């Protein structure tokens, strides 16, 4: 058993780690999950400037992603609809209506040139073998923008989840520039579907945001929905409105959906109903208003890490400088190698070192002659000559040596030296260079006519509580059989309630219970009290209960209040096992006890005043009224044989 447990624990930990890092949570460096990263890697490999069938891309990607074509196709469509990574051709679905994309064999795509700029640089990217060892794939891309904020992410792993909202690309770039300059910045989500958001409870990437659809109320007899509340689409929104109308929550006579390129949902109102009367109900009962909880969890340094939007911007500001530095260093090394080779070639030809190898008989002698020929010119070399350098010189064709252009070589060397000076200067001011790069991205977005305008409007409003706008228009009936509820036929109406109300009822035996408004429930004939379960109001009522011991027939009185309760739990107003004779909710009243007839006893009744007795706690046992056996009680002002009182319930309406 111990072996099985250890094996299970080991396998579970490995599985959990795999799901967290390789499936569900995006990496902070490039903002991508593994399947998305493999799709982009495949597109970069296939890029020839022309559109490719999505089915072809999916097939090629399967050599990197071991989980089948369905997950690849779905992830590709999601990436394409983000607009930053992939140019699309054909039906990739509609984010407004929720319609799916066409089959992969019918649609085409190619990599967005902008993505190659900020995501692709194989010279400084680390590659590892793919799952079958036949190919290589990147561990992460060296992204120059905080893509995790631009694309957003949702994922459920083992014991954790992530939900990152999308942000506006222009605002993200501006925030990163401010971060590089040491200035303060603020970022708020921006959704493709537009709408309104309240960020009062949003804490820099975590917390809760309230989203609302944008409504056109210019015509008082109709409502036009022009923008959606994230994460709704027109289909789910219309379904929610239809369900609310069917349940009587929203008064709508007709719904017309004209959504295509833009959102346009028209709600016709019935006669006598105006737009201003319906707005709150739409927000309360439909997807016109939604609450979105955000949780910014990313993979950082190979571990799941909770971060804020500000921390991600700060991380990427440093990462951008590091990437640009690596690119400059790579270019500098490449130019240095090129300068070294051009210097070797010039000396090799200009000093006719190639002549010294004509008399040599062996390879070793040839290489030695070349090396010795460069000894007098060692000061001119960028670095010491190597075996690879000698091999390069010996591979130069005779035709090229005879036609070697010294002027061209000199111009090229001058150009290389000029560029090396620029690189050295730039390396000393990486912050300025990073800001220049971000400025260039903004210009490219303008040139590509990319829509960088903010779509979602930040506005302060409170979430609409359905309980607050619910009307008490449902009759709560109580019949002579002892049934109480909104679906009880016949009987008398005791209250008008809403679906969110709680009620409290006191049965004939003195037991009281707080509950949701019932459809139909048996509570006993002749209930003492039925009212709203409002603790503030109920605690104002002074309950007087007159009861007797069923064995001794001795009567007692108890005056108390009900300050609190737990829903759907039974409580007794009188001590357990006592027989309740009367319950009253008046501050003061008179009552008369009827005593049992006994020989030589002429006084068979006695009057009392309830106000003469003190108020006690709910758990007290009460005060004995008399030592004589009680046959019943008669209460002043009581017209019914059963003392069922609803007048206090009426007051609580």
């Amino acid at each position: 058993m111990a072996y099985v447990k250890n094996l299970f624990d080991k396998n579970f930990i490995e599985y959990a780690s795999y799901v967290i890092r390789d499936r569900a949570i995006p990496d902070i460096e490039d903002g991508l999950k593994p399947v998305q990263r493999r799709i982009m890697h495949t597109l970069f490999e296939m890029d020839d400037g022309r559109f490719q069938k999505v089915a072809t891309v999916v097939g090629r990607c399967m050599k990197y992603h071991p989980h089948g074509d369905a997950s690849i196709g779905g992830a590709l469509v999601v990436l394409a609809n983000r607009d930053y990574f992939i140019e699309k051709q054909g039906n990739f679905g509609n984010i407004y209506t929720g319609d799916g994309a066409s089959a992969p064999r019918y649609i085409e795509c190619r990599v967005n040139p902008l993505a190659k700029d900020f995501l692709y640089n194989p010279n400084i990217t680390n590659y590892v073998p793919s799952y079958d060892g036949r190919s290589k794939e990147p561990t992460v891309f060296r992204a120059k923008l905080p893509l995790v904020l631009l694309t957003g992410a949702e994922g459920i792993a083992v014991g954790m989840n992530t939900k990152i909202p999308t942000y506006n690309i222009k605002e993200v770039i501006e925030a990163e520039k401010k971060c590089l300059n040491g200035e303060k910045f603020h970022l708020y989500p921006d959704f493709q579907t537009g709408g309104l958001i309240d960020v009062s409870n949003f804490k820099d990437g975590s917390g809760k945001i309230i989203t609302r659809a944008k409504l056109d109320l210019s015509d008082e007899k109709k409502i036009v929905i022009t923008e959606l509340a994230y994460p709704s689409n027109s289909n789910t929104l219309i379904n929610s409105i239809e369900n609310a109308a069917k349940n009587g929550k929203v008064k709508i006579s007709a719904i017309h959906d004209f959504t295509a390129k833009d959102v346009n949902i028209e709600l016709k109102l019935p006669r006598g109903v105006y737009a201003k009367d319906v707005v709150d109900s739409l927000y309360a009962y439909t997807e016109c208003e939604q609450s979105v909880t955000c949780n910014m969890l990313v993979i950082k340094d190979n571990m799941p890490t909770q971060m804020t939007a500000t921390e991600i911007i700060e991380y990427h500001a440093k990462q951008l400088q590091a990437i640009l530095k690596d690119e400059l260093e790579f270019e500098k090394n490449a130019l240095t190698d090129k300068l070294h080779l051009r210097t070797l070639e010039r000396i090799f030809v200009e000093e006719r070192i190639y002549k010294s190898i004509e008399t040599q008989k062996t390879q070793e002698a040839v290489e030695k002659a070349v090396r010795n020929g460069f000894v007098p010119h060692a000061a001119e070399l960028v670095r010491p000559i190597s075996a690879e350098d000698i091999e390069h010189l010996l591979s130069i064709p005779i035709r090229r040596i005879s036609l070697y252009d010294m002027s061209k070589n000199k111009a090229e060397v001058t150009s290389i030296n000029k560029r090396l000076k620029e690189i050295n200067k730039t390396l000393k001011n990486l912050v300025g260079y990073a800001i220049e790069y971000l400025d260039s991205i903004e210009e490219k977005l303008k040139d590509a006519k990319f829509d960088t305008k903010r779509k979602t409007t930040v506005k302060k409003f409170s979430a609409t509580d359905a309980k607050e706008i619910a009307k008490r228009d449902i009759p709560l009936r109580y019949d002579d059989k002892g049934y109480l509820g909104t679906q009880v036929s016949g009987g008398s109406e005791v209250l008008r309630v809403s679906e969110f109300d709680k009620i409290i009822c006191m049965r004939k035996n003195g037991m009281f219970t707080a509950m949701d408004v019932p459809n139909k429930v048996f509570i006993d004939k002749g209930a003492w009290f039925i009212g709203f379960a409002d603790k503030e109001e109920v605690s104002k009522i002074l309950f007087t209960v007159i009861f007797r011991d069923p064995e001794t027939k001795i009567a007692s009185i108890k005056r108390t209040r009900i300050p609190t309760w737990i829903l759907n739990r039974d409580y007794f107003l009188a001590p357990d096992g006592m027989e309740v004779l009367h319950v009253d909710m008046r501050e003061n009243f008179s009552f008369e006890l009827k005593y049992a007839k006994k020989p030589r006893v002429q006084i068979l009744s006695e009057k009392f005043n309830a106000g003469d007795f003190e108020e006690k706690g709910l758990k007290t046992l009460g005060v004995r009224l008399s030592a004589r056996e009680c046959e019943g009680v008669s209460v002043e002002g009581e017209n019914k044989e059963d003392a069922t009182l609803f007048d206090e319930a009426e007051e609580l309406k």
Side-chain angles (χ1 to χ4, degrees), residues 265-301:
I265 302 172
E266 188 178 282
L267 308 178
K268 291 284 189 180
L269 305 180
R271 182 178 299 176
V273 178
Y274 298 94
K276 61 183 176 59
D277 302 324
V278 181
V279 171
D280 286 343
S281 297
L282 284 174
Y283 287 145
Y285 296 109
T286 75
E287 290 187 5
C288 283
E289 179 179 291
Q290 298 207 64
S291 176
V292 180
T293 302
C294 303
N295 183 39
M296 201 166 278
L297 184 74
V298 296
I299 299 297
K300 179 185 177 185
D301 300 328

Side-chain angles (χ1 to χ4, degrees), residues 595-602 604 627-629:
Y595 295 133
K597 293 180 180 180
K598 289 191 176 181
R600 296 187 300 276
V601 176
Q602 295 182 3
L604 299 179
R628 299 174 63 181
E629 294 182 9

Side-chain angles (χ1 to χ4, degrees), residues 97-222:
T97 64
D99 294 333
S102 298
R105 61 185 179 275
Y106 298 125
I107 52 180
E108 298 179 329
C109 69
R110 66 182 176 191
V111 71
N112 191 324
L114 191 65
K116 293 193 74 172
D117 190 312
F118 61 68
L119 195 63
Y120 185 62
N121 194 331
N123 297 321
I124 60 171
T125 301
N126 182 45
Y127 288 83
V128 295
S130 60
Y131 72 95
D132 61 1
R134 291 188 175 94
S135 308
K136 289 187 177 294
E137 61 176 317
T139 51
V140 290
F141 286 115
R142 304 293 301 278
K144 297 175 186 172
L145 291 177
L147 298 179
V148 71
L149 297 180
L150 300 180
T151 61
E154 288 186 43
I156 300 175
V158 178
M160 61 187 68
N161 75 297
T162 186
K163 190 174 182 66
I164 304 173
T166 57
Y167 290 77
N168 180 274
I169 187 170
K170 183 176 178 62
E171 293 178 3
V172 168
I173 292 174
E174 290 299 322
E176 191 161 354
K177 286 160 65 174
K178 287 182 179 180
C179 182
L180 288 165
N181 284 322
E183 302 173 17
K184 291 184 178 181
F185 58 90
H186 297 284
L187 277 176
Y188 299 117
D190 185 26
F191 303 112
Q192 286 179 288
T193 52
L196 311 173
I197 59 170
D198 182 287
V199 294
S200 302
N201 297 316
F202 184 69
K203 300 176 182 177
D204 201 16
S206 61
K208 184 182 292 186
I209 56 178
I210 307 298
T211 66
R212 275 186 178 179
K214 187 173 285 188
L215 309 180
D216 180 359
L217 307 176
S218 56
D219 186 340
E220 62 179 12
K221 288 303 296 176
K222 70 178 181 181

Side-chain angles (χ1 to χ4, degrees), residues 340-351:
H340 178 64
L341 291 177
R342 294 298 174 265
T343 304
L344 289 176
E345 290 173 357
R346 176 182 61 77
I347 296 172
F348 187 69
V349 175
E350 192 175 46
E351 302 299 330

